[in-house]
Amino acid sequence: MELSGSEIIIQFLKDEGVEHLFGYPGGAVLHIYDALHNQKDVQHILVRHEQGATHAADGYARATGKPGVCLVTSGPGATNAVTGIATAYMDSIPLVVITGQVPSHAIGSDAFQEVDAVGITRACVKHNFLVKDLNKLAETLKKAFYVATSGRPGPVVVDIPKDITAPHIKIPYVYPKTVEMRSYNPNVKGHPRQMKRAVDLLLSAKRPMIYSGGGVIMSEASNELRKFVRKLGYPITQTLMGLGAFPGTDPQFIGMLGMHGTYESNMAMHDCDVLIAIGARFDDRITGVTSTFCPYAQVIHIDIDPASISKTINADIPIVGDVKDVLTAMNKLLDKPELPIDKPALEAWWNKIKSWQGQKSYEYETKSGLIQPQAAVEELYKVTGGDAFITSDVGQHQMFAAQFYPFDEPRRWINSGGLGTMGFGLPAAMGVKLAFPDKDVACVTGEGSIQMCIQELSTCLQYNTPVKIINLNNRYLGMVRQWQEFFYEKRYSHVYMDSLPDFVKLAEAYGHIGIRVDDPKDLHDAMKEAFALKDKTVFLDIITDQEANVYPMISSGKAHNEMDISPLQQKIQADMKARGETV
Amino acid sequence: MRHIISLLVENESGALSRISGLFSARGYNIESLTVATTEDVTLSRMTIVTAGSDRVIEQINKQLNKLVDVVKLQDFTEGNFIEREMMFVKVKAQGEGQRSEIKRLSDIFRARIIDVTDTTFCIELTGSGDKLDAYINSLHETSVIEVVRSGSMGILRGEKALTL
Ligand SMILES: Cc1ncc(C[n+]2csc(CCOP(=O)(O)OP(=O)(O)O)c2C)c(N)n1
Ligand SMILES: [Mg+2]
């Protein structure tokens, strides 16, 4: 088959099984867009901003496990994509981003719409390529998909000069089924002796903790994790990125950990004597100050990326390997009718955890006439039966969603954990809906975040992706306001959003349905209505209590057992103390 | 502690900036970096001299290894290796006294005078970094016009080798 560079790109995407391509045209990719015309195998989604393309592809990848693919033009197209690429990089999401480039002969001449895309993206990609030779195009694309999806996944940029895609230059094309790279060998199996040592240490624990993260979801190891946790009977906490790998409604799950994790999870982290980290990277939002992190624990750390091990927290037993393989092997070691677990110690440990749970650290106060943001998320949970895909933006609403929507399945909770990118939620929801058109998809957002990629409402209409936007509208950049309340004596510097648009009218202007609720009494019906409108994108503008805060909170410099707790929990603790109980 | 890390890297245009970018992005110290292609033109050999705590050095090694362009890497510091650096020094050499003093010093250090004018010498010297420092220190401060150092290169002793 003789094909031009542009035709090779499209044919390759088909051969690679890519169904959706999120993109935006421009001069440097015109030849490629011409090849996209009149073909049906790869559906192109015309976003309204290249950031939207990368987030949509990212949401698609997080929900499906398949790589997300984007096509953008040179110069501003490439720079607009950078935020989304960095977002995917921080959360290890497989993306392949094709950027157009000025013709080879013009590179370096400050040509119209020329930027050094490879240079600009270098620090936020797993790898990138500049295609210099048409004969290497197919192979380079294959390498890009291979690198993006294997090992610790991540985004890969392929920068393609316009001349490489010229329609009149045709070369033979064969789909490269596999590719070899001598410098890249991502497949690592856990070391058998280390795994044996880890199991022995786990079985000797008196106060064990299992801490799992996004790596479990990446490696599709949810079932293996469930088996492992249930066999041991130990408490498990999950990171913001790991939610759903182990069911959120299972009694062995004691809540998320870290800055806004549950009281019981953070206390248990602080007091545990053996900690096993599974596909988690001891991010600073998890550890707080590292000097006081898990002071009594011996640490086992399973990760596919050796550089994640002993980076911030020293691992006593490091296990480098794919989580799925390692857990499968460890489950075999645990596959005995009777395990030598110190049962009385474990029971005492669980009792302690239960007493912490009794303090109800997530419980919030209700104020008459005001919708609490937590209540809105609880309502969302009820109305969707806990079975929706939930994307989110960044801020208080994100934490409320993570806290109040327990996920029982992996890949249902989709948020920008590492980079914390406002604007992620809506395009990500669009990407998810394209992958799962029959599922409920909701974006929990705030009036600040939603305005960062609001233009994608237009894309939602064009491609019929009826997502539900749950806007927790507190008229504040709430998370920033919370920090200003706690640490800057309520000096609310530039966090009040005056002159907000009328979101109901805005949704209508984009051809969607807008519903506003400001009375707690109407919340349930409004939520029901939004989801009953199956084939409509609905913007649910929920006017919430402006002063609500996210609790508990580990503020900077504090240890896990020094959380700021809610006024309600303070009361509960005071009552417990009065009864002579330890808190 | 000072470490000397030797790498085999794909001979691609972006490889060097990926490596130097890693050091600047993560705030690692870089004392010297030398690079040239090997007898196999698809590969470059690089020697990096860096310093840091054990934890930082471990991270540097791991992060370098993670780069897709890095084919192979070895931290020589623990093992048995040879390290050399090359230097050119241009010095003022005027009058018999000064010229013979420099020649005498160069003999002691086994340096070679590779260019001569009425008023200057250019000297080539190979050795460990310490030796090069010592040579410079032995010259009269005011006589040094220019110093060019290559940065260190390393190779393992004995039969061991960093090859594919
Ligand atoms: C692109 C970007 N800019 C700035 C921030 C810093 N930031 C974090 S949370 C937040 C406030 C978000 O406000 P809103 O979307 O209304 O959510 P809320 O906290 O009120 O629920 C800001 C500005 C960010 N995370 N991302
Ligand atoms: Mg807000």
Side-chain angles (χ1 to χ4, degrees):
Chain A
M1 199 168 16
E2 296 257 313
L3 298 177
S4 72
S6 293
E7 289 163 346
I8 287 176
I9 294 169
I10 306 309
Q11 185 59 44
F12 175 86
L13 294 178
K14 282 183 204 170
D15 292 343
E16 190 68 23
V18 174
E19 289 167 29
H20 301 280
L21 176 63
F22 301 87
Y24 208 93
V29 288
L30 273 173
H31 297 324
I32 307 176
Y33 271 84
D34 196 45
L36 266 171
H37 196 59
N38 279 339
Q39 58 81 43
K40 292 219 168 59
D41 300 282
V42 182
Q43 191 195 358
H44 179 271
I45 314 297
L46 177 65
V47 293
R48 300 299 183 258
H49 185 300
E50 290 86 350
Q51 182 183 352
T54 47
H55 290 331
D58 180 327
Y60 178 90
R62 291 181 203 235
T64 60
K66 293 191 268 182
V69 189
C70 302
L71 171 61
V72 300
T73 194
S74 67
T79 54
N80 272 350
V82 169
T83 299
I85 295 169
T87 302
Y89 180 65
M90 289 297 277
D91 289 342
S92 309
I93 305 303
L95 286 193
V96 174
V97 180
I98 298 171
T99 53
Q101 182 55 278
V102 301
S104 306
H105 66 83
I107 289 179
S109 69
D110 300 319
F112 177 62
Q113 296 196 325
E114 178 184 2
V115 295
D116 175 9
V118 165
I120 286 175
T121 59
R122 186 170 295 129
C124 61
V125 292
K126 184 170 171 186
H127 197 58
N128 56 21
F129 299 92
L130 171 65
V131 180
K132 290 181 183 159
D133 177 357
L134 175 57
N135 293 300
K136 296 245 174 79
L137 177 59
E139 182 195 325
T140 306
L141 287 167
K142 184 69 198 180
K143 281 183 182 171
F145 276 82
Y146 172 53
V147 170
T149 54
S150 56
R152 179 178 179 177
V156 176
V157 165
V158 186
D159 199 29
I160 307 180
K162 189 169 184 180
D163 51 308
I164 301 280
T165 63
H168 57 280
I169 307 170
K170 304 210 177 205
I171 59 160
Y173 165 82
V174 199
Y175 171 62
K177 277 207 188 67
T178 56
V179 72
E180 282 259 337
M181 294 172 76
R182 63 180 173 186
S183 60
Y184 177 69
N185 301 298
N187 296 321
V188 269
K189 288 244 182 319
H191 197 289
R193 204 176 55 231
Q194 293 293 78
M195 295 194 283
K196 174 81 175 60
R197 282 180 61 208
V199 166
D200 290 346
L201 178 62
L202 273 172
L203 293 175
S204 74
K206 300 209 179 310
R207 299 184 311 278
M209 264 305 267
I210 300 166
Y211 143 60
S212 75
V216 178
I217 295 172
M218 290 285 119
S219 89
E220 304 286 357
S222 194
N223 287 334
E224 289 74 10
L225 178 72
R226 289 166 193 219
K227 199 170 164 197
F228 179 78
V229 175
R230 288 181 179 139
K231 181 73 188 182
L232 287 166
Y234 293 172
I236 175 172
T237 179
Q238 296 179 108
T239 67
L240 181 71
M241 295 308 299
L243 297 175
F246 191 82
T249 53
D250 190 295
Q252 267 180 268
F253 176 59
I254 64 168
M256 180 170 81
L257 80 162
M259 184 170 274
H260 293 298
T262 60
Y263 187 73
E264 48 273 29
S265 278
N266 288 331
M267 292 299 277
M269 286 295 283
H270 189 266
D271 281 5
C272 71
D273 69 344
V274 172
L275 177 70
I276 179 164
I278 308 174
R281 63 185 177 92
F282 296 95
D283 170 85
D284 57 275
R285 286 300 193 259
I286 295 300
T287 61
V289 260
T290 50
S291 56
T292 51
F293 178 75
C294 293
Y296 314 108
Q298 285 194 273
V299 175
I300 303 162
H301 190 179
I302 307 169
D303 205 294
I304 196 162
D305 178 7
S308 282
I309 292 179
S310 297
K311 180 170 71 176
T312 56
I313 297 297
N314 194 56
D316 298 287
I317 305 182
I319 303 174
V320 178
D322 184 277
V323 167
K324 192 181 179 95
D325 296 340
V326 173
L327 284 181
T328 304
M330 286 176 72
N331 280 336
K332 275 209 190 97
L333 295 173
L334 290 171
D335 191 15
K336 294 176 189 148
E338 197 64 31
L339 292 172
I341 287 173
D342 186 340
K343 291 212 178 86
L346 185 60
E347 201 184 313
W349 180 227
W350 267 116
N351 285 338
K352 187 145 200 197
I353 290 169
K354 279 174 192 148
S355 90
W356 288 324
Q357 285 174 322
Q359 296 184 24
K360 304 198 179 309
S361 61
Y362 282 174
E363 200 119 299
Y364 55 93
E365 274 167 306
T366 52
K367 297 183 200 159
S368 86
L370 288 180
I371 298 178
Q372 294 306 312
Q374 298 95 326
V377 177
E378 286 177 320
E379 202 56 61
L380 173 65
Y381 182 80
K382 264 187 240 155
V383 168
T384 57
D387 191 35
F389 284 85
I390 306 292
T391 71
S392 98
D393 272 300
V394 176
Q396 291 183 317
H397 61 270
Q398 175 191 26
M399 292 302 126
F400 291 136
Q403 290 180 334
F404 289 86
Y405 198 110
F407 294 92
D408 281 341
E409 296 299 330
R411 301 196 178 280
R412 294 299 174 89
W413 166 237
I414 286 161
N415 83 130
S416 164
L419 198 67
T421 308
M422 290 170 69
F424 175 80
L426 174 59
M430 222 165 64
V432 176
K433 189 71 184 177
L434 278 163
F436 296 99
D438 300 331
K439 285 283 187 183
D440 284 333
V441 180
C443 164
V444 176
T445 184
E447 79 299 326
S449 295
I450 192 66
Q451 292 186 82
M452 285 211 179
C453 272
I454 191 116
Q455 74 285 348
E456 299 308 329
L457 281 175
S458 177
T459 318
C460 286
L461 188 70
Q462 183 167 351
Y463 296 93
N464 187 27
T465 55
V467 300
K468 313 300 170 193
I469 294 144
I470 312 298
N471 188 38
L472 303 184
N473 187 343
N474 54 11
R475 285 82 71 214
Y476 270 126
L477 299 175
M479 188 56 95
V480 181
R481 187 206 55 75
Q482 177 171 341
W483 283 55
Q484 290 174 341
E485 178 185 335
F486 287 11
F487 313 120
Y488 297 87
E489 296 166 321
K490 295 199 177 181
R491 288 188 298 279
Y492 292 161
S493 178
H494 306 282
V495 287
Y496 178 63
M497 285 253 167
D498 204 345
S499 313
L500 282 173
D502 179 333
F503 286 112
V504 171
K505 281 194 193 147
L506 189 75
E508 285 165 4
Y510 274 110
H512 304 305
I513 308 263
I515 304 173
R516 176 168 305 116
V517 256
D518 54 11
D519 189 329
K521 287 198 297 291
D522 301 331
L523 184 58
H524 177 76
D525 287 346
M527 193 74 78
K528 267 206 116 140
E529 188 188 345
F531 282 90
L533 293 161
K534 280 268 170 242
D535 52 356
K536 290 283 181 195
T537 294
V538 180
F539 195 114
L540 192 54
D541 188 26
I542 306 176
I543 311 301
T544 60
D545 180 1
Q546 287 195 282
E547 307 270 278
N549 285 323
V550 185
Y551 286 108
M553 175 168 187
I554 305 176
S555 42
S556 60
K558 291 287 172 62
H560 276 180
N561 62 346
E562 298 174 317
M563 280 163 276
D564 293 323
I565 54 174
S566 69
L568 210 64
Q569 192 184 348
Q570 288 174 27
K571 268 185 232 151
I572 296 173
Q573 279 197 349
D575 290 347
M576 286 173 75
K577 279 189 190 140
R579 291 197 302 269
E581 294 169 34
T582 51
V583 293
Chain B
M1 198 183 134
R2 182 177 182 272
H3 278 246
I4 172 161
I5 301 168
S6 202
L7 303 95
L8 284 173
V9 178
E10 293 289 357
N11 189 9
E12 304 265 352
S13 57
L16 179 60
S17 54
R18 275 183 227 285
I19 289 167
S20 58
L22 175 77
F23 277 77
S24 61
R26 293 188 182 264
Y28 302 144
N29 174 310
I30 200 161
E31 197 175 287
S32 72
L33 186 159
T34 67
V35 57
T37 51
T38 64
E39 77 289 359
D40 172 353
V41 291
T42 66
L43 282 177
S44 296
R45 177 73 174 244
M46 200 177 280
T47 308
I48 298 175
V49 180
T50 180
S53 64
D54 289 353
R55 166 162 287 176
V56 168
I57 296 292
E58 183 182 330
Q59 268 297 309
I60 291 175
N61 278 290
K62 285 173 167 178
Q63 294 290 350
L64 283 170
N65 242 326
K66 212 167 123 173
L67 292 176
V68 170
D69 283 337
V70 172
V71 184
K72 224 171 173 183
L73 167 158
Q74 194 170 349
D75 188 338
F76 282 174
T77 315
E78 311 288 290
N80 205 352
F81 69 101
I82 300 163
E83 180 185 344
R84 292 286 184 275
E85 184 176 358
M86 187 174 151
M87 173 169 75
F88 296 140
V89 195
K90 191 171 285 177
V91 293
K92 283 186 205 143
Q94 280 162 319
E96 230 2 81
Q98 197 181 13
R99 288 175 89 94
S100 58
E101 171 64 10
I102 292 169
K103 277 189 210 153
R104 198 177 60 81
L105 264 178
S106 301
D107 280 346
I108 295 172
F109 281 89
R110 295 209 197 104
R112 295 195 300 145
I113 298 170
I114 53 172
D115 186 49
V116 178
T117 69
D118 287 351
T119 54
T120 63
F121 284 159
C122 183
I123 299 144
E124 174 197 322
L125 175 58
T126 304
S128 69
D130 287 350
K131 177 176 162 180
L132 305 195
D133 291 344
Y135 181 75
I136 301 259
N137 290 336
S138 69
L139 292 168
H140 200 275
E141 219 176 287
T142 56
S143 66
V144 177
I145 299 168
E146 188 180 7
V147 177
V148 183
R149 295 175 71 146
S150 66
S152 287
M153 302 189 300
I155 194 163
L156 290 167
R157 282 188 188 277
E159 287 180 355
K160 281 188 204 145
L162 182 65
T163 52
L164 281 194

